[in-house]
Amino acid sequence: AQSVTQLDSQVPVFEEAPVELRCNYSSSVSVYLFWYVQYPNQGLQLLLKYLSGSTLVKGINGFEAEFNKSQTSFHLRKPSVHISDTAEYFCAVSFSGGYNKLIFGAGTRLAVHP
Amino acid sequence: GAVVSQHPSRVICKSGTSVKIECRSLDFQATTMFWYRQFPKKSLMLMATSNEGSKATYEQGVEKDKFLINHASLTLSTLTVTSAHPEDSSFYICSASVLPGTSGSYEQFFGPGTRLTVL
């Protein structure tokens, strides 16, 4: 069975510092990987996705993620965060043959402090 | 980009009444729509998957008679919470997906969510 683990429920960080939000997945078949951001009382916005090709994926708002098949990871990074990046971040996976269902991780709350 | 809307954004109702939430894909035709439920400070829980013109597929533990889903067209799906109770209070989010190109991946586009409060 497929699953997604976000290792950190909360990540506090100071403004302009770098940040990494961790995501690991478990699957016996090929996967497609996504990171979404959710601001309070809003839906989800796609940050970036890995479908195939280059393992380093660049997304919106300066975020990037690297797909590591051997470690089954898809960690999200940003070299310098802003106060406005404070939000909930979800890692999600869909898998080949899974009829496009998304499986979400538990989420990581990124809190950026001045 | 692909835009998905939900209506209403917030609804408060009395216990025992039914509430209908609409999910629309505004600028594309969605082959599949999904309904999620999100509890405070929790992740999204998939409730059901619906394809236009066919019955929805519900996830284990989701009562299909309580959460009625209708996917009448390629741009509209509705979720009706029947005989709502306070424990049904939650944030409901829909998403819509389209057939991919050659990647094999069906990207989902999310609506802004509907906050349901049952008194």
Side-chain angles (χ1 to χ4, degrees):
Chain A
Q2 287 76 18
S3 66
V4 179
T5 302
Q6 289 182 246
L7 296 166
D8 306 298
S9 60
Q10 295 187 66
V11 173
V13 64
F14 287 109
E15 194 173 19
E16 298 184 6
V19 71
E20 178 180 83
L21 305 183
R22 295 180 292 171
C23 173
N24 287 86
Y25 68 92
S26 172
S27 176
S28 57
V29 298
S30 298
V31 296
Y32 309 109
L33 296 155
F34 305 82
W35 274 100
Y36 289 90
V37 60
Q38 185 181 35
Y39 299 99
N41 296 311
Q42 294 185 29
L44 274 66
Q45 181 182 10
L46 180 68
L47 279 176
L48 47 78
K49 60 186 177 185
Y50 171 78
L51 304 180
S52 64
S54 173
T55 57
L56 182 62
V57 180
K58 293 189 183 297
I60 62 171
N61 301 343
F63 284 95
E64 64 179 34
E66 185 156 19
F67 170 56
N68 188 319
K69 188 174 182 179
S70 63
Q71 297 187 5
T72 61
S73 68
F74 190 55
H75 301 332
L76 181 71
R77 302 185 183 98
K78 186 170 182 177
S80 175
V81 294
H82 301 288
I83 296 287
S84 59
D85 292 323
T86 295
E88 191 81 21
Y89 291 79
F90 292 98
C91 181
V93 60
S94 68
F95 47 95
S96 176
Y99 196 56
N100 64 343
K101 283 172 61 171
L102 275 177
I103 299 171
F104 283 89
T108 297
R109 170 75 177 168
L110 175 63
V112 182
H113 301 284
Chain B
V3 179
V4 177
S5 70
Q6 277 185 246
H7 177 78
S9 58
R10 290 178 177 270
V11 57
I12 300 173
C13 69
K14 292 182 179 180
S15 185
T17 61
S18 294
V19 174
K20 180 184 284 188
I21 302 170
E22 291 187 349
C23 176
R24 292 182 184 273
S25 56
L26 298 184
D27 50 2
F28 66 100
Q29 292 186 324
T31 52
T32 306
M33 288 187 170
F34 301 85
W35 287 96
Y36 296 86
R37 182 173 180 177
Q38 187 179 30
F39 293 99
K41 301 187 186 300
K42 297 291 185 183
S43 188
L44 279 73
M45 181 192 78
L46 179 64
M47 299 175 66
T49 303
S50 74
N51 294 291
E52 183 263 341
S54 61
K55 288 185 178 180
T57 301
Y58 290 81
E59 295 298 303
Q60 192 171 11
V62 177
E63 299 176 62
K64 64 175 101 175
D65 294 331
K66 180 165 189 62
F67 298 100
L68 300 178
I69 292 172
N70 186 335
H71 194 158
S73 75
L74 285 172
T75 60
L76 173 64
S77 176
T78 60
L79 168 67
T80 301
V81 183
T82 62
S83 186
H85 292 283
E87 57 266 31
D88 299 325
S89 298
S90 195
F91 194 52
Y92 293 88
I93 303 175
C94 75
S95 71
S97 69
V98 298
L99 284 173
T102 57
S103 70
S105 170
Y106 298 70
E107 181 174 344
Q108 292 186 29
F109 303 95
F110 287 82
T114 296
R115 173 77 58 193
L116 170 63
T117 302
V118 185
L119 303 176

